[in-house]
Amino acid sequence: PWLTLKMREATDAWLFLGPTVAGFLIFFAGPLIAVVWYSLTEWNLLAQKSIFVGLDNYEDALFRNADFWLVARNSCIFALGLVPLNVSLALALALALSRRFPGVIIFRTVFFAPVVTSAAAWAIVWKFLLQGEAGFVNQTLALVGIDGPNWLLEPDWAMAAVIVTRVIKMVGLNMILYIAALQAIPRDYEAAARLEGASEWQIFRMIVWPLLGPTTLVIVVITTIGSFKVFDHIYLMTGGGPENGTLVLAFYIYQQAFQFFDIGYASALAMIMFVIVMALTVVQLTLRRRDT
């Protein structure tokens, strides 16, 4: 009877875990193993011929192909521009909208609406807004005597334009996370600090900001991962140009796989991006544990 009961419990456990395990194997572990294998081969999608080449694709990316380091540099610039701007703007909006006042729901909805807007539609609309003299942005600047650049066709401005439009698109999600964290902070802490004569800045720096640490870590991690995976904005707004100035890693992988049909090299690039994102996540988690 004891063995039968134990076997029954094990069977029930596997029935509950089965769909999750199957989903993990089919949609994560399986594709990951496939990509690792493809990265060790020279496989042309048109010719449908696969040759095992070992680590040649990795050596080509890291040591023989100068384009990879240009792409890596662009990806880092994109992440370094997007993450601080997104996080700081999300925190500022959350601080302004975390407390109740007339119309607060409307403001939250306005800032969150771009998150649920189609990324393709968002990128296409901004591409028209950021055109040269015919674009709405430059026409607005002309009203105050400013001659705006052709934002998406000048190397010095294209990356900044894509970063800003991406921040506006996604900042609402981080804003909601910060609002939830701010509302979970007991008001007794702030009240006690005010009784001791603390200023609003001191309350934020010494009480609010430390308590937001776990939420900030989550936001920074998911925003960093998202910044390295950006594809739609690059594809629809700049196509990696001008002069490869916005050619980031995710779009470069797409080019190699579906324009040049080099699946093996594209898979090696995908594994390199996976390692980079994983390393950044581990570093951020390690730094957070060290601070706590």
Side-chain angles (χ1 to χ4, degrees):
W2 175 83
L3 184 60
T4 303
L5 178 60
K6 187 174 182 180
M7 292 177 61
R8 187 184 304 167
E9 291 177 347
T11 302
D12 292 341
W14 277 109
L15 287 175
F16 282 107
L17 292 174
T20 302
V21 173
F24 174 80
L25 294 176
I26 294 171
F27 297 109
F28 180 79
L32 182 60
I33 293 171
V35 170
V36 172
W37 170 251
Y38 294 153
S39 71
L40 302 176
T41 65
E42 182 180 333
W43 178 22
N44 186 286
L45 193 61
L46 292 179
Q48 286 295 315
K49 291 182 179 180
S50 178
I51 303 172
F52 182 79
V53 294
L55 299 177
D56 281 0
N57 288 322
Y58 294 93
E59 292 178 2
D60 187 22
L62 297 174
F63 303 110
R64 295 194 292 265
N65 192 340
D67 288 342
F68 171 78
W69 292 107
L70 171 64
V71 170
R73 170 181 168 273
N74 289 341
S75 297
C76 291
I77 291 174
F78 186 87
L80 291 173
L82 182 138
V83 175
L85 183 59
N86 190 311
V87 173
S88 58
L89 181 58
L91 179 58
L93 290 172
L95 290 171
L97 302 177
S98 61
R99 307 202 178 180
R100 297 191 177 277
F101 59 86
V104 65
I105 301 299
I106 296 176
F107 284 105
R108 291 178 184 175
T109 303
V110 168
F111 287 113
F112 186 76
V115 177
V116 296
T117 302
S118 166
W122 182 266
I124 292 172
V125 167
W126 273 101
K127 184 174 182 178
F128 283 105
L129 294 177
L130 293 171
Q131 284 181 342
E133 296 180 358
F136 175 78
V137 173
N138 280 349
Q139 288 182 354
T140 303
L141 292 175
L143 296 176
V144 293
I146 299 176
D147 186 15
N150 196 332
W151 299 94
L152 301 178
L153 294 180
E154 295 187 16
D156 294 336
W157 290 102
M159 180 64 81
V162 175
I163 289 173
V164 170
T165 55
R166 183 73 177 185
V167 168
I168 298 173
K169 173 75 170 67
M170 301 305 299
V171 71
L173 177 60
N174 292 340
M175 176 195 72
I176 294 298
L177 295 176
Y178 267 133
I179 288 176
L182 286 168
Q183 291 180 341
I185 297 176
R187 296 302 173 194
D188 296 344
Y189 296 167
E190 297 183 23
R194 288 192 178 90
L195 288 176
E196 296 294 330
S199 64
E200 292 297 325
W201 168 247
Q202 289 173 326
I203 293 173
F204 172 78
R205 184 169 63 89
M206 303 302 295
I207 298 176
V208 176
W209 179 244
L211 292 175
L212 290 177
T215 302
T216 300
L217 174 63
V218 172
I219 289 175
V220 169
V221 169
I222 62 175
T223 307
T224 301
I225 293 173
S227 69
F228 276 92
K229 291 167 50 182
V230 64
F231 169 80
D232 42 17
H233 278 63
I234 301 297
Y235 177 77
L236 293 170
M237 294 182 68
T238 65
E243 301 176 8
N244 292 333
T246 59
L247 185 59
V248 295
L249 194 51
F251 186 73
Y252 186 56
I253 293 171
Y254 162 80
Q255 281 187 330
Q256 297 300 316
F258 301 109
Q259 291 184 2
F260 305 138
F261 305 106
D262 193 348
I263 300 298
Y265 185 61
S267 298
L269 293 172
M271 289 307 304
I272 292 173
M273 184 172 73
F274 175 80
V275 171
I276 291 173
V277 173
M278 181 66 70
L280 289 173
T281 303
V282 170
V283 168
Q284 291 169 351
L285 291 172
T286 303
L287 292 174
R288 177 58 190 170
R289 289 198 188 98
R290 188 176 300 175
D291 291 339
T292 56

